[in-house]
Amino acid sequence: MSFIRLMQQRYTTKNYDASKKIESEKLKELQQILQLSPSSINSQPWKFIFVSDSDTKKQLSEVSWLNTNKVLESDTIVVFNRINNITLFEKQIEEELPEGAVGYYKEFIKPKPEEEIKAWFNKQVYLALGIFLSACAEMGIDATPMEGIEPANYDKILNNKEYATLVAVAIGYRDNEDFNQPDRKPKSRLAFDKVIETV
Amino acid sequence: MSFIRLMQQRYTTKNYDASKKIESEKLKELQQILQLSPSSINSQPWKFIFVSDSDTKKQLSEVSWLNTNKVLESDTIVVFNRINNITLFEKQIEEELPEGAVGYYKEFIKPKPEEEIKAWFNKQVYLALGIFLSACAEMGIDATPMEGIEPANYDKILNNKEYATLVAVAIGYRDNEDFNQPDRKPKSRLAFDKVIETV
């Protein structure tokens, strides 16, 4: 299927069929895709936690606002974390990246206030989120990105110390009756000319 | 090709073949894909400017740091903008989004300081960037995401008033001798266990 068809057919799944499980090879593939995600200067300021354990999912479901049922009924919750310890991040890039990339970081990012450095990390994590949602669409896996969770409680449950939860994605297979499927509820987007300009 | 193969084979293109042009149907498809990109509460706080005009590309190339040649030799520069006028954004979502989504914005996002609201917009734009880079990979188009540009000068050249340049992507077709192709320079990423955790 062409990429544009995938984008037309993917949607934010509201109801999962809890009896349908994602094959473990597919989960592994999604993990490898995230590992390969690009980021500015290859900074990779992130960690991705795949939660399939039902006790942990239950705990997460209780700190997920309106998303409780999606967390319970989907197969796996993928928690997108940004690295939260800047010293650790800097050690990591010194060890892993070429001099030019570290130089870019030192000149353009490091001098900024801590909050702006973390905001730069956050953007990279969302880039990986876009790659991940594309991968799910291509692999026929349904997904629900969820900002409406309690990140600090996710961090506690996941024993996150050097990282911080930004957003989570429920993945699994839709309930066949899900009302939000595009053939039942057409996708709504801003008009083409409002978001696209050509020069 | 499977998505994971696409991720293994895509790379940050360093040298373009200026004689190879992207077919206009493919550019149109990329534009439609961006229009369809998901975002938190379907907020779509963005605009995407496709610059194929060679005079404008020349001007942009002069405010693109080390990326001058990529801007000149690629086919098109796609400029990713976040909406910069919060009042305009709020008017837009009042008109376009269902009550529940507007309510989420009013409760969780609007009370934050302006800089944090814009940081939330930025994350959505980077999500679209991840979708876009996936689309390019699937469509066989080479791409170079570029944070190393002068956003304020991009805004001036593009006469951006209510939007702000965040990042640009050069797209086109690689020079066959490009040194950065994965078969010449293997992709480097953090170790799997450093970025993936399973529970």
Side-chain angles (χ1 to χ4, degrees), chain A residues 47-48 52 120 195 197, chain B residues 47-48 147 190 195 197 199:
Chain A
K47 191 167 71 177
F48 310 103
S52 306
W120 181 71
V195 296
E197 199 176 306
Chain B
K47 191 166 72 176
F48 310 103
E147 284 190 352
L190 294 177
V195 296
E197 200 177 304
V199 180

Side-chain angles (χ1 to χ4, degrees), chain A residues 1-4 7-8 10 28-29 31-38 40 42 44 46-53 56 65 92 95-96 104 108 119-120 122-124 126-127 129-131 133-135 138-139 147-148 158 163 187-192 194-199, chain B residues 1-4 7-8 10 28-29 31-38 40 42 44 46-53 56 65 92 95-96 104 108 119-120 122-124 126-127 129-131 133-135 138-139 147-148 158 163 187-192 194-199:
Chain A
M1 201 186 296
S2 68
F3 198 89
I4 189 163
M7 282 300 109
Q8 286 159 343
R10 66 155 292 288
K28 184 74 186 215
E29 223 170 290
Q31 291 162 0
Q32 289 168 331
I33 287 164
L34 280 171
Q35 187 203 3
L36 285 169
S37 176
S40 180
N42 203 15
Q44 308 165 74
W46 52 41
K47 191 167 71 177
F48 310 103
I49 309 180
F50 282 64
V51 183
S52 306
D53 172 65
T56 313
W65 299 99
Q92 187 166 288
E95 285 170 11
E96 303 269 353
Y104 177 92
F108 296 106
W120 181 71
N122 291 352
K123 291 190 290 186
Q124 313 309 322
Y126 270 68
L127 197 172
L129 175 60
I131 299 278
L133 295 176
S134 302
E138 200 273 338
M139 292 166 68
E147 283 190 353
L158 299 169
Y163 295 80
K187 220 175 249 308
S188 140
R189 290 291 187 271
L190 295 178
F192 186 85
K194 217 163 182 169
V195 296
I196 303 292
E197 199 176 306
T198 57
V199 180
Chain B
M1 201 185 299
S2 68
F3 199 89
I4 189 163
M7 283 298 109
Q8 286 160 343
R10 67 155 293 287
K28 184 77 185 211
E29 222 168 291
Q31 292 163 0
Q32 290 168 332
I33 287 164
L34 281 171
Q35 187 203 3
L36 285 168
S37 177
S40 180
N42 203 13
Q44 307 165 76
W46 53 41
K47 191 166 72 176
F48 310 103
I49 308 180
F50 282 65
V51 183
S52 307
D53 172 66
T56 312
W65 299 98
Q92 187 166 288
E95 284 170 11
E96 303 267 355
Y104 177 92
F108 296 106
W120 181 71
N122 291 352
K123 290 190 290 186
Q124 313 309 323
Y126 270 68
L127 197 172
L129 175 60
I131 299 278
L133 294 176
S134 302
E138 200 273 337
M139 293 167 68
E147 284 190 352
L158 298 169
Y163 295 80
K187 221 175 248 307
S188 140
R189 290 291 187 271
L190 294 177
F192 186 85
K194 218 164 183 168
V195 296
I196 303 292
E197 200 177 304
T198 56
V199 180

Side-chain angles (χ1 to χ4, degrees), chain A residues 140-171:
Chain A
I141 294 169
D142 290 314
T144 315
M146 303 178 294
E147 283 190 353
I149 56 172
E150 298 174 35
N153 281 323
Y154 267 57
D155 288 341
K156 270 187 213 154
I157 293 166
L158 299 169
N159 197 23
N160 243 349
K161 291 196 197 321
E162 312 293 6
Y163 295 80
T165 296
L166 289 188
V167 55
V169 183
I171 55 175

